[in-house]
Amino acid sequence: MQRVVDNALAVTKESVKTFTYEWVNNVVRVINEISALLLAFLPGKAKMLEGVQGWELRPTFRGPRFPRWMENGVSSFNQFIHELSVDSDVSSVEYSSGEEDSDGYETPESPLSPSSRACSDSVTNHGRHPMRWMQYIWLWIVVSIKFLLGAPFHLFKLAYSGVSKAPSTSTNRDHSQVPSHKRVQSHKDQIIHRATDKRCGLIEDLHLGIEISIEAVFDFVHKAVHLLLSPSETYEKLTKLFSSYKNDHDSGEDTSTSTATLGEHDPTPTEGNTSSRQPLNTDGRTCQDVITEFGYPYEAIHVVTADGYVLLLERIPRRDATKAVYLQHGILDSSMGWVSNGVVGSPAFAAYDKGYDVFLGNFRGLVSREHRDKNISSRQYWQYSINEHGTQDIPAMVEKIHEVKTAELKLSKPDIEEEDNDGQPYKLCAVSHSLGGAAILMYVVTRRLEEKPHRLSRLVLLSPAGFHHDSNLIFSVVENVVLMVPSLSRIFPAFYIPTRFFRMLFNKLARDLQNLPAVGGLVQTLMGYVVGGDSSNWVGVLGLPHYNMNDMPGISFNVGIHLAQIKRSKKFRMFDYGSEAANMEVYGSPEPLDLGEHYGVIDIPVDLVAGQKDHIIRPSMVKRHHKLMKDAGVNVSYIEFEYAHLDFTFCHHEELLSYVMSRLQLSEPNPNHQGNKKALRLRRKQEISASG
């Protein structure tokens, strides 16, 4: 009878799983088909989809045509559990009655999953004997009557024992007293935590969640039916259960041992209650993870700005190098952008391989809100504009680089400082993208006006911000809304995803956009419309690790106001505080400082790079920088590549990497020049000693 019930449950379970799986797949297919239909009628889609690799207008169905167990004999959940069991060398996570077939009786093969076959195998011992119906019915009646009569008494004992034992039984239990099945389960939890630490979309999680739920429901039904059909075993288990509670109550006060630790009498460390925190199948890698995965060295330096913001300056160290490069990201980006293309296509790795000491800067503006004041409010944290990027963030990081490099080179090369007249024993170049380019121009100009050293020897600016009046209609609408309703900054101090849950959904939806080609193509096309036709791979960028559930870059509302002010004034100037009195207090003039008018103070070479397909910062706006610098006598160069805005950092272009590396090498120290300095210094020493 139990074999019949188990086979029926197994077939029903696989049928339910197949039905729900195919139903979800059909819904996904419909969504993908509707997206493909809409995409077919959208104008200009070919241009928008240039930056997306592997997209297809015709949807490709990833779901199987037949039930999974008909294709490979194993459902996805059971395959998942089987792989975990093989990796951990522990018993499979399969429900069974606890009895084993000792005489080699085997059941015929059936198209069921391993867990379903385990159900039928586990009860074959019962199916071999003829059913004694009268005996089972009589035993069940006796067990039921005894259970009903004794239940109130046992419940009272359990409640009393729980209250009396609570203060004395906490975690003071030796590892040897922990049941073996609990230790195995703890091991499995750790294995599951490790094995599921991969990135999945919402649809993939939905498939696995449905199968886990179905397995749990049928596992409960299977055990309930097994207990109903085996009253003697049910009575035995209930008796053991109540007796175990009674023994624990009786011996709880006498057997309390302390947990052993490493280095005491028992050198074996105990196994504590570990709560493995599930990563929810999201990609939470950091820039450190990416760098160390490829075998490069890594160093994290925490920098505190003058106004209390804590910044993360990351480094691929080459401590004895006399040439260094400082990479600064743009808006809604982080240092991850410089290493996201791997070893071959990332500017950070290319510079390190060329012998540079690489520093990766990170602006303020993460949802984690790192600040010296731990109790800073969200509104206070986001009160900054591009001014603070150029006058607080970059100065703090550059000075930290100078401090670190000077100290290291003094140890490795004690006489190198004497070779340089300005007291800087290294050359530091800066490579910046988008908003980072505008901030570093602001930094150089303001430092020169304040007669302070900026410590840089060359600037390579990739599609730098600063001029934005040549833009599309969408940006003009945003400009008017932001400037006409400045009170929005009180309601929305910044644009970011505030909670881990919604950031997790964002991360998973980005994964689904990559798995569903038509939906991803539709989102890519719509994003292209919003940014004026820019063909950057927006869908791919949204899936990068720095847009994860743990942390994510945001945009201060004041940064948006500052960009809108720049666009409306058609000038690259600092933040307008809204009144002449406020501007006088900050700048000493009723109008904000016009940085473009002071390009003449720039005393280092500047290389400007524009993208012909860039519709966020168009080549005409980069040419505006070039014209003002050229007229002011700055040593400036200009070049265009056939790239969109995000292609400068998130795409692998060997031509761009070669150009950037060639410009950096123009600022390297000249060995012949250093040799002449040494000879001159030696001659001066000889002259001084001779005259003395």
Side-chain angles (χ1 to χ4, degrees):
M1 183 63 183
Q2 289 182 356
R3 285 187 59 191
V4 175
V5 172
D6 287 340
N7 288 332
L9 287 176
V11 173
T12 305
K13 179 183 67 175
E14 294 297 333
S15 300
V16 172
K17 288 166 66 173
T18 301
F19 173 79
T20 54
Y21 180 81
E22 291 299 323
W23 180 80
V24 172
N25 268 353
N26 288 332
V27 173
V28 174
R29 290 189 185 104
V30 170
I31 295 174
N32 207 27
E33 289 171 356
I34 294 175
S35 301
L37 183 63
L38 294 175
L39 188 60
F41 290 100
L42 289 178
K45 59 181 177 295
K47 181 180 178 181
M48 308 298 180
L49 295 171
E50 287 178 351
V52 181
Q53 301 294 330
W55 75 275
E56 299 177 10
L57 182 61
R58 182 176 59 85
T60 56
F61 305 138
R62 297 178 180 271
R65 297 293 184 180
F66 298 99
R68 293 186 179 185
W69 59 267
M70 293 180 62
E71 288 191 341
N72 51 20
V74 181
S75 66
S76 59
F77 172 78
N78 295 313
Q79 180 67 24
F80 174 73
I81 296 299
H82 175 70
E83 292 174 356
L84 296 179
S85 303
V86 171
D87 292 339
S88 58
D89 292 331
V90 295
S91 60
S92 304
V93 183
E94 300 169 340
Y95 52 72
S96 63
S97 62
E99 300 178 8
E100 297 180 355
D101 190 2
S102 58
D103 58 354
Y105 181 80
E106 296 181 356
T107 58
E109 294 292 333
S110 61
L112 303 177
S113 63
S115 62
S116 302
R117 290 196 297 268
C119 297
S120 58
D121 293 342
S122 63
V123 295
T124 51
N125 191 26
H126 298 282
R128 294 196 308 270
H129 304 289
M131 305 299 292
R132 301 178 182 179
W133 292 103
M134 296 301 297
Q135 180 179 359
Y136 281 115
I137 293 174
W138 173 251
L139 286 175
W140 180 250
I141 293 174
V142 172
V143 169
S144 301
I145 294 174
K146 187 172 182 179
F147 177 76
L148 292 175
L149 293 177
F153 175 72
H154 288 293
L155 290 176
F156 176 77
K157 289 182 61 178
L158 290 174
Y160 176 76
S161 62
V163 172
S164 61
K165 191 171 60 175
S168 60
T169 59
S170 54
T171 58
N172 296 330
R173 181 165 297 192
D174 190 65
H175 176 63
S176 61
Q177 296 177 349
V178 178
S180 59
H181 70 277
K182 291 186 178 180
R183 293 198 299 270
V184 172
Q185 187 64 28
S186 176
H187 189 194
K188 288 180 181 179
D189 290 340
Q190 297 175 8
I191 297 297
I192 291 174
H193 171 71
R194 184 186 72 243
T196 57
D197 191 11
K198 60 182 181 180
R199 190 171 175 203
C200 296
L202 286 177
I203 297 174
E204 296 169 287
D205 284 344
L206 182 61
H207 283 158
L208 184 59
I210 288 175
E211 292 198 60
I212 290 176
S213 301
I214 294 173
E215 288 283 343
V217 171
F218 277 89
D219 182 43
F220 175 78
V221 173
H222 173 267
K223 290 180 178 179
V225 172
H226 180 73
L227 293 177
L228 287 173
L229 297 179
S230 303
S232 59
E233 185 178 346
T234 303
Y235 175 73
E236 181 180 352
K237 288 185 177 181
L238 289 175
T239 304
K240 289 182 179 180
L241 176 64
F242 288 120
S243 62
S244 64
Y245 277 112
K246 182 178 180 181
N247 292 334
D248 290 341
H249 171 64
D250 294 338
S251 59
E253 298 180 356
D254 298 332
T255 60
S256 60
T257 58
S258 59
T259 303
T261 56
L262 187 63
E264 293 185 356
H265 301 289
D266 184 7
T268 304
T270 60
E271 180 178 344
N273 295 329
T274 59
S275 60
S276 58
R277 185 176 180 181
Q278 292 290 345
L280 299 177
N281 296 339
T282 59
D283 190 353
R285 290 178 299 163
T286 62
C287 186
Q288 175 183 358
D289 297 329
V290 175
I291 293 174
T292 54
E293 279 176 4
F294 293 120
Y296 286 82
Y298 175 84
E299 181 181 351
I301 304 173
H302 293 280
V303 180
V304 181
T305 64
D307 53 354
Y309 286 77
V310 180
L311 310 178
L312 178 61
L313 179 63
E314 299 178 278
R315 183 187 184 190
I316 309 178
R318 194 182 288 274
R319 306 184 189 283
D320 58 346
T322 57
K323 52 183 182 179
V325 60
Y326 164 59
L327 302 173
Q328 184 55 59
H329 64 79
I331 200 168
L332 280 178
D333 196 5
S334 69
S335 57
M336 182 73 74
W338 301 109
V339 298
S340 59
N341 289 321
V343 175
V344 177
S346 298
F349 296 133
Y352 181 84
D353 293 339
K354 290 290 185 179
Y356 286 86
D357 193 354
V358 181
F359 292 87
L360 309 174
N362 287 281
F363 280 146
R364 66 183 70 189
L366 295 174
V367 298
S368 56
R369 300 206 302 265
E370 298 292 334
H371 196 274
R372 188 167 49 191
D373 181 8
K374 301 300 182 181
N375 299 321
I376 189 172
S377 65
S378 177
R379 181 175 299 178
Q380 292 174 334
Y381 178 86
W382 296 102
Q383 287 298 315
Y384 64 85
S385 64
I386 305 176
N387 280 20
E388 281 67 29
H389 288 325
T391 62
Q392 298 287 343
D393 295 349
I394 294 180
M397 288 186 283
V398 171
E399 289 301 320
K400 176 59 71 172
I401 293 173
H402 177 70
E403 176 186 341
V404 170
K405 288 299 298 178
T406 303
E408 291 176 348
L409 290 176
K410 279 184 178 180
L411 293 176
S412 60
K413 302 178 180 180
D415 59 338
I416 193 171
E417 187 174 357
E418 300 179 4
E419 301 173 5
D420 205 338
N421 294 328
D422 58 3
Q424 183 170 313
Y426 62 94
K427 295 291 184 179
L428 178 62
C429 299
V431 180
S432 303
H433 175 242
S434 189
L435 186 68
I440 207 159
L441 283 174
M442 181 184 296
Y443 163 72
V444 173
V445 171
T446 54
R447 297 287 283 193
R448 288 285 294 158
L449 292 177
E450 296 171 358
E451 298 182 353
K452 296 180 180 179
H454 54 69
R455 317 228 180 251
L456 300 176
S457 59
R458 194 177 198 93
L459 298 181
V460 181
L461 308 181
L462 310 176
S463 188
F467 294 101
H468 303 279
H469 51 273
D470 183 12
S471 58
N472 63 355
L473 179 62
I474 300 296
F475 289 165
S476 299
V477 172
V478 173
E479 168 205 339
N480 293 326
V481 171
V482 168
L483 294 180
M484 291 176 62
V485 194
S487 59
L488 287 176
S489 61
R490 301 177 182 177
I491 305 174
F492 306 104
F495 302 98
Y496 64 97
I497 303 177
T499 63
R500 297 184 75 251
F501 174 75
F502 288 108
R503 292 196 294 271
M504 179 265 293
L505 290 181
F506 179 88
N507 190 276
K508 290 181 174 298
L509 286 174
R511 178 68 173 179
D512 288 329
L513 293 179
Q514 297 176 8
N515 291 338
L516 301 174
V519 179
L522 179 61
V523 173
Q524 169 74 17
T525 304
L526 295 177
M527 284 290 299
Y529 288 157
V530 171
V531 295
D534 191 90
S535 60
S536 300
N537 188 0
W538 302 100
V539 172
V541 168
L542 293 177
L544 289 177
H546 57 308
Y547 294 107
N548 58 67
M549 63 183 297
N550 298 319
D551 210 352
M552 187 177 293
I555 305 176
S556 169
F557 196 91
N558 284 344
V559 171
I561 293 177
H562 196 173
L563 292 173
Q565 291 174 355
I566 292 174
K567 184 179 183 304
R568 174 164 293 187
S569 65
K570 299 182 181 180
K571 298 178 180 180
F572 179 27
R573 62 180 191 173
M574 302 186 75
F575 186 74
D576 188 351
Y577 289 93
S579 65
E580 293 183 0
N583 290 332
M584 282 292 296
E585 183 179 354
V586 177
Y587 307 114
S589 64
E591 293 292 329
L593 179 66
D594 190 338
L595 298 169
E597 291 183 355
H598 295 83
Y599 275 170
V601 301
I602 299 178
D603 58 343
I604 56 176
V606 180
D607 301 301
L608 299 173
V609 184
Q612 296 176 1
K613 297 181 180 179
D614 191 343
H615 291 271
I616 296 179
I617 301 176
R618 296 180 176 178
S620 60
M621 299 292 92
V622 183
K623 288 179 180 178
R624 178 67 175 168
H625 287 289
H626 178 260
K627 183 179 184 304
L628 291 176
M629 291 183 186
K630 197 72 175 177
D631 294 342
V634 180
N635 182 9
V636 61
S637 67
Y638 175 84
I639 191 174
E640 289 184 9
F641 290 99
E642 196 176 357
Y643 302 151
H645 188 68
L646 299 183
D647 294 347
F648 290 103
T649 54
F650 296 115
C651 293
H652 175 207
H653 294 292
E654 190 64 34
E655 183 184 16
L656 175 64
L657 285 179
S658 300
Y659 174 78
V660 173
M661 293 301 108
S662 66
R663 306 314 289 182
L664 294 180
Q665 291 174 1
L666 295 177
S667 297
E668 292 183 5
N670 190 348
N672 296 329
H673 181 60
Q674 291 184 3
N676 294 334
K677 281 189 174 184
K678 288 183 178 181
L680 180 61
R681 181 165 53 86
L682 182 59
R683 182 182 302 176
R684 287 180 178 177
K685 287 183 177 181
Q686 292 176 353
E687 292 177 354
I688 293 174
S689 61
S691 61

